[in-house]
Amino acid sequence: MTSSVLDLAPVVPVVVLEDAADAVPLARALVAGGLPAIEVTLRTAAAPDAIRAIAAEVPDAVVGAGTVISARNVADTVAAGARFLVSPGWTDTLLDAMKGSGLPFLPGVSTTSEVVALLERGVTEMKFFPAEAAGGTAYLKALSAPLPQARFCPTGGISAASAPSYLALPNVGCVGGSWMVPGDAVAARDWARVERLAAGAAALRG
């Protein structure tokens, strides 16, 4: 069982798949590059089948579901084999569903009040989203002094160039990004390129 999403790898690929048939070769390329934690976002109809395929056929991958915004999303992705859950934001209802799943989860926050509210509920690991638009490294650095118990996976607008500055922060466990799964590479099924980009991302340490 995955205990913490934040400690699996420095970078969690955020994957959007239009065709579930691409899921297994993409996941294998990411794992080969050193990125075992893979967030498949529920932005496409192919996502549940993609999660199911990775869970069944890529044992070294730790596949999770992103853009989880309802209790139904939680139930469906758990049934598909997801091993962690990520949401762009949270409500009490969604938080209860994610807690009830028994899986590690990262509820999304973008304000100090949201962080405090989660800490009040016993949640210390969160997604900071949309990271760049919500204040970036300066905002997270400012949070670390008053709220040192909160740890984050910043996601949203992060690139290979900006990731190291996030990873250097004491309250950042990993970052989420999609630069190692560019749309043109996925469309061309250029898995060798994905593996190379994943290897570069896996080498990023704060």
Side-chain angles (χ1 to χ4, degrees):
M1 171 63 74
T2 307
S3 60
S4 171
V5 183
L6 300 184
D7 298 325
L8 289 170
V11 179
V12 176
V14 179
V15 174
V16 180
L17 285 170
E18 301 292 341
D19 187 347
D22 293 332
V24 168
L26 176 65
R28 286 177 176 154
L30 290 170
V31 169
L35 299 180
I38 302 167
E39 176 189 332
V40 177
T41 71
L42 302 182
R43 298 181 201 172
T44 66
D49 285 340
I51 291 170
R52 192 172 291 109
I54 294 170
E57 298 181 48
V58 192
D60 292 333
V62 181
V63 64
T67 323
V68 173
I69 57 171
S70 69
R72 170 54 68 88
N73 286 163
V74 172
D76 288 350
T77 53
V78 169
R83 292 170 61 186
F84 65 90
L85 306 169
V86 183
S87 71
W90 66 278
T91 64
D92 287 332
T93 300
L94 179 57
L95 191 67
D96 288 343
M98 291 194 292
K99 277 189 168 185
S101 73
L103 299 179
F105 59 92
L106 295 175
V109 297
S110 61
T111 69
T112 307
S113 294
E114 290 168 332
V115 176
V116 172
L118 283 176
L119 292 173
E120 204 173 68
R121 296 284 298 269
V123 178
T124 59
E125 298 189 346
M126 312 165 196
K127 170 179 176 172
F128 180 59
F129 176 83
E132 288 287 282
T137 55
Y139 194 97
L140 285 171
K141 187 174 182 180
L143 287 181
S144 64
L147 302 170
Q149 64 273 54
R151 295 180 71 217
F152 301 95
C153 175
T155 305
I158 296 174
S159 66
S162 62
S165 61
Y166 281 94
L167 291 168
L169 297 174
N171 56 349
V172 170
C174 64
V175 300
S178 56
W179 72 86
M180 75 299 298
V181 284
D184 58 342
V186 176
R189 295 181 168 84
D190 188 350
W191 310 129
R193 181 181 169 203
V194 170
E195 183 178 339
R196 287 195 303 273
L197 290 169
L204 296 175
R205 297 275 176 186

